[in-house]
Amino acid sequence: MKFRDLREFILFLEDRGDLRRIKAPVNWDLEISEIADRMVKNGGPALLFENVSGYNIPVAINLFASSQRMAWALGVESLDELATRVKDLLGMVQGPPDGLVDRIRALGQLVHLGSFQPKTISRAPCQDVVIEGPDIDLLNYPVLKCWPLDGGRYITLPLVITKDPRTGVQNYGTYRLQVFDHNTTGMHWQTHKVGASHYRAGSEMGLKHLEVAVALGGDPATIWTGSAPIPPGMDEMGVAGFIREEAVEMVKAKTCNLLVPAHAEIILEGYVIPGEERDEGPFGDHTGYYSMEDPYPVFHVTTITQRKDPIYPAVVVGRPPMEDYYMGKVTERIFLPAIQAILPEVIDINMPAEGIFHNLVIVSLKKEYPGQARKVIYGLWGLGLMSLAKTIVAVDHFVDVNDPSEVVWRVANNIDPARDVFFSSGPVDDLDVAAATPKFGSKMGVDATEKMPEEGRIREWPPEIIMSKQVKDLVDSRWNEYGFNE
Ligand SMILES: Cc1cc2nc3c(=O)[nH]c(=O)nc-3n(C[C@H](O)[C@H](O)[C@H](O)COP(=O)(O)O)c2cc1C
Ligand SMILES: [Mn+2]
């Protein structure tokens, strides 16, 4: 299960009966969005719209919109396989391997890692056609308008590539692009994202232009890395290579000094000018609310390269769960071992769809000393984009964080609100709708673990209700006798 590009993945999904081709004419203006939304909510297949009115370029959507498709996209049948590989890798990096067998395995992995580094090739399908000057028109692509109050049409699944002007290291991020006209778009990298930090560094250094390339399509693991908060300075393409167990092939962009994925469908090349900003929005966002107008940099497209017959990839976000939930869930699974490397008492984490990642995090931990749940909550608030988490709820290790019924039952029972709910403040997501001011606001920690005497609960914790094994066995053995199975 290795995909060179988007079309191989599409054919694979079709082969598995998990992709539908729609030949009926459909409109880019809200209609595709409504169809895609219904399909995600009903567990439907990936969609390839082959007849978008006014266009001869098909639109692929919902490619990642289920746990199974997301796993396949990353080359595995189940995400656990990938999480285990990440765990092994981290174990190897962290501590010295124990026995000889471990040592050989670790060595093998390291050698392997080398071969997963991106490779630069000189001729690439994404550059089969080169479009320049007056021929550039972003509206030649079936860019979607997703929701009625949207301020325009948005490119929703781009891989935005920039280079840190201080270090030269490339970053890849999925930041939507509002199409302003034939050759400019908004560049919606939010404050806490790596693209925005490159932009601020470029401004400080007095750069006239910050080069930007945007890849649409590519192999699915590469596309996904754009949505993952890979630590800055770590090359996403190395991560994609590790996931696919095969190096990602890159090619030098035609007109800027950036490497782009060779097997993408379409590449937009251009730049942003530090200081030049324009209102972007409104946009029906993954919060389930519109994000209203806000100034963001303007992306000037100077060259487009593409395949001869490109496929245009898109997602629609809105009230959860939607496609981005499944993309983010992988991040949660893959980053868990990394979090455990720093907070070893953490057992599991769940960011439920309704909490759209930054609103609600549920974490279970093996508590051994007083205050440990708070240590974990504060620890998470110090980790990368976890710093944006508005509410973190901590439960004991035996609680299944993925079972909302159990979580609500335990939390509601276990907390003495004045003692166990505590507040802090810090950076909040640009998309937060509640904070009084943008970007800064309050946070809530909920310690729903069973309390120790030192934590202020001096009464003994009551036993949980569990029927005795003797009686269970008795009832099992007499079940038919009661007449229930007749
Ligand atoms: C479908 C989708 C759309 C997204 N749109 C945006 C966006 O417009 N702006 C943004 O800052 N982050 C957006 N994100 C989240 C970022 O891609 C994510 O935070 C990622 O870590 C950014 O890359 P970076 O860590 O290199 O900055 C989106 C994620 C997904 C899955
Ligand atoms: Mn990144």
Side-chain angles (χ1 to χ4, degrees), residues 1-18:
M1 219 192 301
K2 283 200 174 115
F3 310 110
R4 180 195 280 270
D5 53 25
L6 193 65
R7 50 200 65 206
E8 276 191 16
F9 183 50
I10 286 173
L11 290 177
F12 169 87
L13 291 178
E14 188 165 37
D15 192 50
R16 296 282 169 119
D18 207 8

Side-chain angles (χ1 to χ4, degrees), residues 156-158 171-177 188-196 225-231 236 280 283 285 296 315 317 323-325 327-328 357 385 430-431:
T156 49
L157 194 56
N171 182 67
Y172 305 74
T174 302
Y175 320 120
R176 68 169 182 256
L177 310 170
H188 189 261
W189 46 45
Q190 294 157 16
T191 313
H192 313 101
K193 308 304 170 75
V194 178
T225 57
S227 75
I230 314 280
E236 275 94 340
E280 193 264 9
F283 178 71
D285 224 315
Y296 277 92
V315 306
V317 298
E323 187 161 7
D324 65 301
Y325 165 69
M327 298 175 76
F357 311 117
L385 289 184
D430 282 5
L431 303 186

Side-chain angles (χ1 to χ4, degrees), residues 79 209 259 289 346 418:
L79 286 176
H209 286 171
L259 294 174
Y289 289 93
V346 167

Side-chain angles (χ1 to χ4, degrees), residues 455-467:
E455 294 174 318
R457 191 191 183 285
I458 42 180
R459 294 184 290 151
E460 209 174 309
W461 201 265
E464 205 177 305
I465 302 173
I466 299 168
M467 182 48 70

Side-chain angles (χ1 to χ4, degrees), residues 235-257:
D235 187 343
E236 275 94 340
M237 292 307 107
V239 175
F242 168 78
I243 291 173
R244 320 163 66 222
E245 301 188 284
E246 190 169 309
V248 179
E249 291 188 332
M250 307 293 285
V251 68
K252 196 192 152 299
K254 288 282 179 199
T255 60
C256 52
N257 197 16

Side-chain angles (χ1 to χ4, degrees), residues 210-230:
L210 180 74
E211 292 186 321
V212 179
V214 172
L216 301 173
D219 77 85
T222 294
I223 297 177
W224 170 82
T225 57
S227 75
I230 314 280

Side-chain angles (χ1 to χ4, degrees), residues 5 110 127 161 199 254 442:
D5 53 25
L110 275 183
Q127 296 180 332
I161 305 166
Y199 175 71
K254 288 282 179 199
S442 69

